[in-house]
Amino acid sequence: MGLSLGDLYIAFLLFLNAIAILHEERFLAKYGWSTNDVTMNPNTTKAKILNIVRAVRLVMMWPLIGLNSITIVFKLLLG
C-alpha cells in the first residue's frame, strides 16, 4: 500500500475542510486565537495564520463544496 496522488489529494481536501470548519468564537477563542487577540500587532505569525484561516473560509467555500461532491461521486463509482 503506497502513497499515491489520489491519497495526497484526499489528505489535502481533508486539511482544507478542517480549516474551513474552524469557528473563531466557538473554538479558536478558547485557545487565544481570536481576532481580538491579534488586532494589536498584525505582523505576528499568529495574525498571519488567522488571516490564512479566514481567507480559506472565504475563498474556498464554493470550490470545496464542488471538490467534495466530485470526490464523493468518484469514491461511490470507483470504490
Side-chain angles (χ1 to χ4, degrees), residues 5-32:
L5 287 177
D7 294 334
L8 289 175
Y9 166 75
I10 296 294
F12 182 69
L13 186 63
L14 288 172
F15 180 70
L16 284 178
N17 282 323
I19 290 174
I21 65 168
L22 289 177
H23 195 272
E24 284 187 35
E25 288 84 24
R26 281 191 257 154
F27 179 74
L28 294 176
K30 289 181 187 177
Y31 302 104

Side-chain angles (χ1 to χ4, degrees), residues 26 52 63 69:
R26 281 191 257 154
I52 289 173
S69 301

Side-chain angles (χ1 to χ4, degrees), residues 1-63:
M1 185 165 102
L3 186 66
S4 66
L5 287 177
D7 294 334
L8 289 175
Y9 166 75
I10 296 294
F12 182 69
L13 186 63
L14 288 172
F15 180 70
L16 284 178
N17 282 323
I19 290 174
I21 65 168
L22 289 177
H23 195 272
E24 284 187 35
E25 288 84 24
R26 281 191 257 154
F27 179 74
L28 294 176
K30 289 181 187 177
Y31 302 104
W33 284 78
S34 68
T35 310
N36 298 334
D37 295 335
V38 296
T39 54
M40 300 293 183
N41 190 1
N43 293 327
T44 62
T45 305
K46 189 185 224 183
K48 291 178 182 179
I49 292 173
L50 277 175
N51 284 335
I52 289 173
V53 168
R54 250 184 261 119
V56 166
R57 256 189 280 140
L58 179 69
V59 174
M60 290 299 292
M61 184 176 68
W62 292 108

